[in-house]
């Protein structure tokens, strides 16, 4: 009987893990330099935390269980409810603004398909306590800075930015009452994926009457903030109805320009976001080829903390999963610098010196150098072959000269150059002698 | 309604996360320099993977659930069965020796108590494909090297080493048949925790007859390999019965000496290990004060891969959890270098320069520097206070001189020294100018 990984979930063998770590390290490095602090939470939450906002319907999308104490638990499907819970618990004690990031492993009981597994890692960046568009801009900047870090240019990816308050102004302008906005936003979220004729049909059906779908199309097609401002009055929208969000979006764009990232950004009202808790600016990052799902999505959620029993605090953030990102990086061949190779391989070239090989390896490792050796003494050719397979930069050969004079040979595996060094001299400054100097 | 973290599980607020990351980074850094490669696996496995070896009794100790497809799943309670599964699946393709590490988050449905949570991180180091004691020694060296890295000396902790084959030789010598060895090993595992009189009683009761408990006590008390060899014949053990494991232990000690870590190590037959799959050398790492549970435990498990459908391959490894380790490090005040502070804080000292502040921050972050700023312009005193609270090493002040001459003031927050620099010069080599030079 052979066992396999659970369906829709991934094993990370060392070569896969190297890619995952390369991504996780990038997320962490970029987060830290943008002033975010890392947090984490248990793998599980009480099931209530998810049903409270989303209703019992969410349960079928979760991995859930009952523990021995009869408590209903669920494995985290997203990070934001946990963030809200943790911030609400210490809302008065935490210094503001709260700039936090996390990179949890999340699970969803979905049918596995391209770009979507039942388990994935998700980078989450959030700024809590700031209602200014500069915070939204900083979140987007942090995402873009990571994209640059992994060699994804403005030709490869685009940040599509909208504001839910504009969608709501449009819906109100078309006479759709507030209580139907959630349903309408759900339809808009699908608009980009459906043909216009089909969408018009769905749109009219959903509201039981003909709605000005052509006007909607014109508004959604606006490629800049100013284009929207010009088109809106033509389809009967009053300026007062969208002036607040347009002002914030203009400010956002000013900050995006200061951060030097407008080449990555585009105004695009097709972006609505599926989750109900967004209240303002929303954005998604897409592969420009249009072949993959969104790489990341986020926006402003000013009411979420209240929902979990906390105070009203403005908040903005985004999430980026590892699966679509990895696919894009593989497709575009941008996985550069992923490596699992060693630094130094110590070759045992003389009978009876195995203990000395171990001593030298021990000293190298204590000096912080990645050092390997063979467990059984093989002939020199085989040892050099192993060193080369492990990607060693340098080989240290312990042979007869070591026995006679405590001298080892150091070979640079790339240049092939070889030199002799006294072992004490070598170990006194091993990093400079071997790795930096090589 | 306020939500809390699931009972017995931990939230990691940034100050807790900094400690966890300090530990995880140490585990990873040490693993890599000892030549181990990282792997990981899904949070869940099919329940069978655990019940196969341990029987249905294990189920109550697991967090388990049934997915929508009717599959029985369990959240990982330990890493070793997964390791065996992953290696067995590619047994012929993986180059040997397999030197792997992982640091999974594990869950156990236990009653929370000191040093034991329902969720924890565990460092796992394993060498597969080597039946020589040098692999056992390298595992122990890797553990000890990490202990040194976190400033735990041979006065703080001890690696207690035994060999299950010695325990079995003793049991056989005392006339306990093979089929009762598992039960007897279970008792021996508890021997160190019980009083001698109580233990003698338990011992005799378990086997329904008087057993030579005094002789057992003498053997368990041996503090060195040679002491054991001297005592064994006195209680009637034949040399042939323990010569194999004693030879391996002597070899192990020779290698531990080459690695320079015998000061941390002690021969101690009280170490048996609870898990049934160990077949040879076993060890645990303990707090010398004796106040905490074991910090780590491991040993040789040469049959495990076979159990999950793989070939027979020798294996040795250990696991170290984060909870007991953190407690010891806190108790002994060894958490040095844990930090969440920033490098550079950019102060906005002049009306109308906010966009320039953002540009400077953007350039610093792109240069890899941790740079922060305030979202709202406050007076200088407040901005400097924030910079100081965030632990900034350097403040860059953007004021009137910037407007007039593109010159900023750079203040070293520790020395208080201040100097003026042209912003272009500063940004051309920001790390040298600000962080390295500070």
């Amino acid at each position: 009987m052979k066992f396999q990984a659970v369906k829709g979930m991934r094993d990370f063998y060392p070569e896969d893990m190297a890619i995952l770590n390369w991504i996780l390290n990038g997320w962490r490095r970029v987060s830290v330099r943008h002033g975010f602090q890392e947090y984490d939470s248990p793998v599980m939450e009480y099931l209530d935390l998810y049903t409270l906002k989303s209703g019992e319907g969410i349960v079928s999308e979760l991995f859930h269980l009952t523990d021995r104490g009869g408590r209903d638990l669920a494995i985290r499907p997203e990070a934001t409810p946990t963030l809200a819970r943790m911030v609400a618990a210490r809302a008065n004690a935490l210094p503001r603004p709260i700039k936090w990031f996390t990179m949890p492993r999340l699970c969803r009981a979905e049918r596995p398909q391209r770009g979507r597994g039942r388990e994935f890692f998700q980078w989450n960046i959030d700024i809590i306590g700031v209602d200014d568009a500069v915070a939204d801009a900083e979140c987007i900047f942090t995402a873009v800075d990571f994209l640059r870090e992994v060699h994804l240019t403005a030709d490869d990816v685009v940040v599509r930015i909208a504001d839910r308050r504009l969608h709501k102004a449009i819906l109100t302008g078309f006479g759709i009452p507030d209580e139907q906005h959630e349903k309408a936003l759900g339809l808009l979220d699908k608009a980009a994926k459906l043909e216009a004729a089909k969408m018009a049909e769905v749109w009219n059906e959903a509201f039981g009457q003909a709605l000005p779908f052509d006007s909607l199309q014109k508004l959604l097609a606006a490629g800049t903030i100013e284009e929207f401002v010009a088109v809106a009055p033509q389809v009967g929208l009053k300026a007062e109805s969208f002036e607040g969000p347009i002002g914030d979006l203009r400010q956002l764009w000013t900050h995006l320009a200061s951060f030097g990232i407008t080449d990555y950004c585009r105004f695009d009202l097709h972006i609505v976001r599926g989750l109900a808790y967004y209240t303002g600016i929303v954005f998604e990052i897409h592969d420009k080829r249009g072949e993959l799902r969104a790489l990341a999505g986020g926006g402003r959620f000013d009411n979420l903390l209240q929902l979990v029993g906390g105070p009203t605090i403005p908040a903005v953030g985004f999430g980026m999963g590892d699966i679509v990102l990895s696919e894009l990086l593989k497709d575009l061949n941008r996985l550069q610098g992923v490596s699992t190779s060693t630094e130094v391989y110590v070759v045992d070239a003389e009978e009876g010196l195995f203990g000395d090989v171990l001593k030298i390896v021990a000293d190298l490792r204590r000096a912080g150098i990645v050092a390997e050796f063979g467990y059984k003494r093989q002939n020199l050719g085989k040892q050099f072959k192993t060193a080369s397979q492990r990607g060693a930069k340098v080989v240290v050969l312990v042979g007869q000269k070591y026995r006679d004079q405590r001298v080892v040979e150091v070979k640079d595996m790339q240049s092939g150059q070889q030199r002799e060094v006294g072992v004490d001299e070598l170990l006194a400054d091993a990093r400079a002698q071997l790795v930096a100097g090589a």
Side-chain angles (χ1 to χ4, degrees), chain A:
Chain A
M1 173 169 190
K2 285 237 184 189
F3 288 92
Q4 295 184 316
V6 169
K7 194 185 162 203
M9 300 192 177
R10 296 169 295 167
D11 281 331
F12 291 90
Y13 282 85
E15 62 275 22
D16 314 309
M17 193 71 200
I19 294 171
L20 177 66
N21 271 337
W22 186 78
I23 289 172
L24 295 174
N25 289 338
W27 284 347
R28 178 174 282 139
R29 190 170 57 246
V30 170
S31 303
V32 168
R33 76 183 182 222
H34 286 261
F36 291 86
Q37 298 198 303
E38 190 167 357
Y39 73 98
D40 200 4
S41 64
V43 166
M44 288 177 265
E45 293 280 0
Y46 290 116
L47 185 61
D48 290 351
L49 184 66
Y50 305 112
T51 54
L52 178 81
K53 284 187 304 127
S54 314
E56 292 295 327
I58 192 81
V59 174
S60 68
E61 295 166 32
L62 301 175
F63 287 101
H64 58 96
L65 59 110
T66 306
D67 77 359
R68 287 201 286 173
R71 303 170 197 92
D72 288 325
L73 309 176
I75 300 181
R76 290 175 298 186
E78 53 163 332
T80 312
T82 300
L83 172 76
R85 170 179 71 69
M86 285 176 66
V87 171
R90 298 197 185 170
N92 298 318
L94 292 167
R96 312 263 181 97
I98 296 160
K99 285 179 65 176
W100 282 5
F101 79 99
T102 191
M103 315 188 295
R105 177 181 272 194
L106 304 173
C107 292
R108 292 181 192 166
E110 298 182 288
R111 189 182 302 278
Q113 45 188 294
R114 187 171 190 206
R116 201 168 272 200
R118 299 207 296 171
E119 181 181 48
F120 54 97
F121 289 85
Q122 193 185 63
W123 181 32
N124 281 257
I125 281 283
D126 291 282
I127 300 177
I128 296 171
V130 185
D131 62 4
D132 194 295
V134 67
D136 309 57
E138 194 180 29
C139 283
I140 295 171
F141 178 33
T142 307
V144 169
D145 197 26
F146 171 77
L147 298 173
R148 279 190 178 139
E149 184 99 356
V150 297
H151 318 293
L152 291 172
T153 71
D155 291 332
D156 302 318
V157 289
V158 56
V159 186
R160 300 163 66 191
I161 302 170
D163 192 308
R164 278 219 175 170
R165 290 168 301 170
L166 285 185
H167 298 122
K168 289 172 78 74
I170 294 169
L171 297 173
T172 302
F174 290 170
I176 297 174
D178 270 14
E179 59 274 20
Q180 295 197 311
H181 281 192
E182 198 158 328
K183 180 171 75 170
L185 289 170
L187 290 179
L188 287 182
D189 187 40
K190 293 189 182 71
K193 292 151 207 155
L194 293 179
E195 277 175 53
K198 178 68 192 159
M199 183 63 199
E201 198 188 305
V202 171
W203 181 251
N204 293 342
E205 243 170 48
F207 296 98
Q209 55 173 303
L211 286 170
F213 181 71
D214 288 344
S215 300
L216 177 69
Q217 284 280 77
K218 269 187 203 154
L219 289 167
L220 295 187
T224 65
I225 298 170
E226 302 317 324
E227 206 179 314
F228 176 85
V229 172
V231 170
Q234 297 170 17
V235 302
L237 284 194
K238 286 182 187 142
E240 311 88 83
S241 73
F242 54 77
E243 142 181 294
I246 286 294
D248 285 349
L249 281 165
R250 282 180 180 140
Q251 256 208 303
L252 177 78
W253 238 267
T254 304
H255 298 317
L256 296 176
S258 294
F259 284 135
I261 57 165
T262 46
D263 54 336
Y264 277 89
C265 299
R266 199 168 73 202
F267 175 77
D268 187 343
L269 284 179
H270 289 102
I271 300 306
V272 182
R273 303 290 298 142
L275 293 165
Y277 52 64
Y278 289 109
T279 55
I281 285 165
V282 284
F283 61 92
E284 287 182 3
I285 303 177
H286 287 262
D287 162 26
K288 274 201 169 170
R289 303 169 311 169
E291 288 181 19
L292 301 171
R293 289 165 187 278
L295 283 155
R300 194 158 266 289
F301 50 100
D302 287 346
N303 302 327
L304 186 63
L305 264 76
Q306 229 177 341
L307 276 176
V308 298
T312 308
I313 315 181
V316 59
F318 73 84
M320 178 186 290
D322 72 312
I323 295 185
V324 177
L325 176 68
S326 304
E327 283 182 0
L328 182 61
L329 292 169
K330 278 175 199 163
D331 283 0
L332 301 181
N333 196 22
R334 301 289 159 81
L335 286 165
Q336 291 154 25
V338 177
S339 156
T340 58
S341 59
T342 194
E343 291 184 312
V344 176
Y345 197 94
V346 182
V347 164
D348 179 2
E350 179 84 4
E351 190 79 43
L353 293 182
F354 189 60
D356 298 271
V357 166
L358 296 191
K359 277 180 203 162
I360 291 167
V361 166
D363 283 335
L364 292 174
R365 290 180 181 174
R366 273 187 217 135
I369 291 170
V370 184
E372 300 187 20
F373 67 99
Y375 294 113
K376 302 242 181 256
R377 206 160 72 74
Q378 296 179 297
N379 67 46
L380 283 192
K382 281 197 179 159
Q383 290 189 63
F384 269 93
K385 197 179 157 197
T386 305
S388 159
Q389 282 166 343
R390 293 288 306 114
K393 291 181 190 71
V394 171
V395 162
V396 171
L397 189 142
V398 183
Q400 210 189 327
K401 281 220 174 129
Y402 175 85
R403 190 201 296 285
D404 301 340
Q405 309 160 41
R406 290 181 59 78
V407 162
V408 295
E409 282 174 58
V410 174
K411 182 175 179 175
D412 181 320
M413 292 292 275
Q414 204 171 1
S415 69
Q417 282 188 324
Q418 218 159 322
R419 63 196 166 93
E420 295 185 351
V421 197
V423 74
D424 301 314
E425 189 191 337
L426 180 78
L427 295 175
D429 193 9
R431 181 155 288 281
Q433 286 272 356
L434 290 174
V435 188

